[in-house]
Amino acid sequence: MDYILKTNALSKSYKNFKALNGLSMTVPKGAIYGFVGKNGAGKTTLIRLICGLQEPTSGEYTLYGKRNTERGIVKARRRIGAVVETPSIYLEMTAEDNLKQQYRILGLPSFDGLNDLLKFVGLENTNGKKAKHFSLGMRQRLGIAIALAGDPDFLVLDEPINGLDPQGIVEIRELILKLNRERQITVLISSHILDELSRLATHYGFIDNGRMVKEISAADLEAACRKCVRLEVNDTKPLARVLDGMKLDYKILSPTTADVFSQVTVSKLALALAQADCEIVSMQERDESLESYYISLIGGGKNE
C-alpha cells in the first residue's frame, strides 16, 4: 500500500508539556483519514508539524517518501493544501480576490483555473460580495478553495465543520467527498464530530495524550462495532442461564438489561425465557456507534 504520510515515534514538547508523545501513524494514498481525539490530544500539533509550521522535538515523518530532515521535504510540502484551525482569508476581499492573492503568493504564472475552482467549491455567484459578509460555511469553502490553489493532492483540514449549521455541514461533507472521488485527493480530517466523520472516513486514527491508540480502516471498524440485540427483562439472572445454555455471546449491562451479540432466533429465545420464568419487557436491534467505540477505546470522557 502507498502512504502519503508516515510518522515514526514523533514527539513535540513545549517546556514540560508533551503535545505529541511518540506518535506513529500512516495515511494511505486516496484515503479520507479521520484523525480523532479529545481537545489537547495533539491533533493540531501533528498538522502544524507536517505543514512545516513547527519542528518536531524528536522522531520523524515522511511525506511522499521524503523524510522531514531531507531537503526534498520542502518540495513534498508543496503538494499539501491545508486549513489549520481557521481559514486564512482576507475579510475585506471578495472570494475571487482572495484566490488571486493566493495565486500571487504561490507565484503562479496566471489566474487560469480560478473560476473553475470557485465553481467547484460553490462560490461562483458571490460576485462583489466581501468575505466578511459570508456565512461561516462559505468562509470554510473559500478557505478550502485557497488551500486547493496550488493543485495539491493531499488536503489537511483541522475541524472543518466546527460551528457550522446543518446546511453548512452537508455542503462541506459533499465537497470533501467530491474532492476525494473526482480529483483523487487524499484528505486528513481532524474532527471531534464523530457522527459526521463516520459518513466520510475510509480510515481512522484515534489519538490520546499525544499517542496513537489505534488505527483502523472503516471496514474493520464497522466489523468491530458489532450489531446486537438489546434485551430488557425482569431479571437478567435467568436470562444469563438461558443464554449460556444456548451458547450465545452476550453482555449484562444491568440487573434488567443485556446485549446479545450472536444471531438470535427470537421465537426460540422467547420460549426458553418463558420456561425459565424470565419475562421480556422489550427487544431492540442496535449498532455500536463510532462515538461509543471511541469512548470505550479511550476510556471515557468527552470527545472534543
Side-chain angles (χ1 to χ4, degrees):
M1 183 179 287
D2 287 339
Y3 295 101
I4 299 289
L5 170 68
K6 296 176 79 170
T7 76
N8 180 30
L10 198 62
S11 295
K12 178 64 179 177
S13 298
Y14 303 97
K15 294 185 179 178
N16 297 322
F17 173 65
K18 268 199 168 182
L20 290 181
N21 188 12
L23 181 80
S24 295
M25 66 185 288
T26 52
V27 178
K29 183 179 181 181
I32 298 178
Y33 188 103
F35 196 34
V36 182
K38 300 173 188 175
N39 190 33
K43 303 188 301 292
T44 300
T45 300
L46 180 278
I47 289 171
R48 293 178 71 84
L49 291 183
I50 65 173
C51 290
L53 300 173
Q54 293 178 335
E55 292 294 325
T57 305
S58 62
E60 65 177 17
Y61 63 89
T62 61
L63 279 170
Y64 302 97
K66 296 291 182 185
R67 284 190 180 89
N68 61 293
T69 52
E70 295 180 46
R71 290 179 63 184
I73 193 66
V74 176
K75 189 175 180 182
R77 280 202 198 105
R78 289 186 192 135
R79 299 174 68 177
I80 300 179
V83 181
V84 184
E85 296 178 301
T86 55
S88 298
I89 60 179
Y90 298 97
L91 295 177
E92 292 295 331
M93 289 185 180
T94 64
E96 182 178 345
D97 286 341
N98 264 280
L99 271 179
K100 283 181 177 178
Q101 184 65 14
Q102 183 65 10
Y103 272 51
R104 293 186 191 104
I105 290 169
L106 294 172
L108 298 177
S110 73
F111 296 135
D112 287 351
L114 188 149
N115 290 328
D116 290 338
L117 193 48
L118 283 173
K119 187 175 181 180
F120 193 86
V121 300
L123 295 175
E124 72 274 23
N125 294 321
T126 54
N127 301 319
K129 191 176 183 180
K130 291 181 179 180
K132 67 180 180 181
H133 299 303
F134 285 5
S135 68
L136 194 57
M138 291 170 71
R139 290 183 192 181
Q140 193 66 265
R141 282 184 281 133
L142 177 55
I144 292 174
I146 290 168
L148 295 171
D151 198 24
D153 46 18
F154 183 30
L155 183 63
V156 179
L157 302 174
D158 190 14
E159 301 283 1
I161 58 174
N162 210 14
L164 299 187
D165 61 24
Q167 180 62 31
I169 289 173
V170 170
E171 288 168 352
I172 295 295
R173 180 208 308 159
E174 291 177 350
L175 177 56
I176 292 168
L177 288 170
K178 194 160 68 162
L179 286 166
N180 180 253
R181 293 168 181 171
E182 295 182 13
R183 295 197 174 190
Q184 286 74 55
I185 292 177
T186 303
V187 187
L188 170 65
I189 307 174
S190 153
S191 183
H192 69 279
I193 304 176
L194 301 186
D195 178 60
E196 185 58 34
L197 201 56
S198 68
R199 302 167 193 261
L200 288 167
T202 61
H203 295 76
Y204 295 92
F206 297 94
I207 183 177
D208 190 45
N209 294 321
R211 288 183 176 274
M212 183 61 71
V213 179
K214 190 174 188 65
E215 284 190 302
I216 190 169
S217 70
D220 288 342
L221 179 61
E222 189 175 340
C225 292
R226 297 185 293 175
K227 287 186 161 93
C228 70
V229 173
R230 172 73 50 90
L231 279 172
E232 187 181 351
V233 294
N234 62 335
D235 186 358
T236 52
K237 289 178 182 175
L239 172 66
R241 289 196 294 271
V242 168
L243 295 175
D244 285 336
M246 298 176 73
K247 294 184 170 52
L248 296 177
D249 184 14
Y250 67 93
K251 181 179 181 181
I252 301 297
L253 303 176
S254 76
T256 58
T257 312
D259 284 343
V260 181
F261 297 101
S262 306
Q263 189 73 30
V264 179
T265 304
V266 176
S267 57
K268 187 177 178 182
L269 177 61
L271 181 60
L273 289 175
Q275 291 171 347
D277 291 325
C278 182
E279 181 184 344
I280 299 174
V281 178
S282 67
M283 183 181 290
Q284 184 180 16
E285 278 198 347
R286 294 171 63 92
D287 287 324
E288 185 179 14
S289 67
L290 173 59
E291 184 170 358
S292 61
Y293 178 85
Y294 165 75
I295 290 171
S296 65
L297 189 67
I298 299 299
K302 287 192 73 176
N303 58 301
E304 204 294 316

